[in-house]
Amino acid sequence: MLDAIRERVWLGRVLIRVVVEEPYSIGKQEYLLQANRLTYLPLYLPEILRYFQPFIDHNSDGQWWFEYENTPLSISRPIGLLFDQYIKPNSSTPWVIKLRRGDQPNALLLDLNNIESLKTVWVNAFKESAYIRDGNAKAVMSLSKEDQEILWQSFTDADAKNTLQEFWTRMGQLLAKTKTRSTNWSVPVRVYDAEVRGKTSQLYAPSTKVNTLGEAVVSHGILLPQDLTLGEIYFGLVYPDGFLHLVCRKEENSKYKIQR
Amino acid sequence: MSEDRQENDEVEQLSDYSKVTVRFLPIGSVKKLKRSVISVYGNQTFASLINYVKRQLNTENSLFCYINTSFAPQLNTKLIDLSECYAIEGILNVSYCDTVAFG
């Protein structure tokens, strides 16, 4: 059962329509993309720019960044999380986002073209989540450089479909101790409202249930059953950075109930 | 367990504008700050804390800051959130270094 859930999470994809418009390009251009929910938008930028290359207006310059309905999209949040924040579950149409250039909003804080800095963000989130689980980050800090690299590659590779084992062999070892502690461990959770703000929390595994977070909680595009504890769902739905990323969407609660 | 929960409830009531106590700890050969413990507004970000240390050290070079000598949080994380999760006995420990200390 757990393996089946992990596999589905690993294979989760979202359909994205990337649009670039004047003054950055000659006319309005579009690129369709099937993006891995677990990775980050900047990883797709080279592929997108390669396609748009003939249409780019060479008088424009500066960094590229993405926005959805005038909101800049955070570089360091997994694509699946961004999708869950802005798009209703069960939506079958592509998510339309715009590629923009220059005047990078300060909120982004990261150089979109610099994959190394993105990797640093991931490594630190990975250590942070271990710290919440274990009370220290020793398990992650003592990983070899090679294992760290394999973990990163396993979910960021362009064709990250057959790499589930490479990830879970190592992640499983990191979680082994946590799993045998039946009580009194904290689940690394980031909770987001449907807006931009996110909040890191450590919530107690055996006592915190999904329904204590708000009425409708979405992760990986799934409306989570309300009677499960966060500890129970963590082992299946954890993102590769070691966090559960949960989106609370109170305002649309009634709609969700009908869909169920 | 019940004690833990009570603590959690109390933390919930703090607003963004509560103050957070931060202790700075140098790593390696980096200079010690004159004031190693400060109190700052919780709605400030971790990035602003890094800039504060840079100003105190009078340096333009990169500075690497870590929580509890373990990890660097995302730069736009609010100090109140960090304090809620990682403060030890009410103090948020931030170590700083001029090279990468914890890869």
Side-chain angles (χ1 to χ4, degrees), chain B residues 1 4 7 15 17 22 31 37 55 66 74:
Chain B
M1 202 58 222
D4 286 336
E7 243 175 58
S15 78
Y17 298 94
V22 180
K31 260 195 303 188
V37 178
R55 277 200 307 277
Y66 301 90
Q74 285 185 25

Side-chain angles (χ1 to χ4, degrees), chain A residues 181-246:
Chain A
R181 263 183 290 150
S182 53
T183 53
N184 215 12
W185 65 280
S186 297
V187 187
V189 183
R190 288 218 166 106
V191 183
Y192 308 81
D193 49 28
E195 300 300 315
V196 181
R197 187 167 146 72
K199 180 172 161 51
T200 309
S201 294
Q202 33 187 357
L203 297 165
Y204 290 100
S207 57
T208 311
K209 292 199 172 180
V210 171
N211 63 9
T212 57
L213 295 176
E215 288 287 301
V217 179
V218 176
S219 192
H220 300 285
I222 308 158
L223 180 65
L224 300 180
Q226 304 211 346
D227 49 348
L228 293 175
T229 66
L230 294 183
E232 286 170 303
I233 62 174
Y234 181 77
F235 295 104
L237 299 188
V238 58
Y239 271 83
D241 62 4
F243 278 93
L244 266 183
H245 292 286
L246 306 177

Side-chain angles (χ1 to χ4, degrees), chain A residues 5-17:
Chain A
I5 292 170
R6 285 173 181 173
E7 191 180 347
R8 288 204 170 192
V9 165
W10 201 259
L11 299 179
R13 297 291 183 271
V14 290
L15 208 54
I16 298 178
R17 190 194 300 273

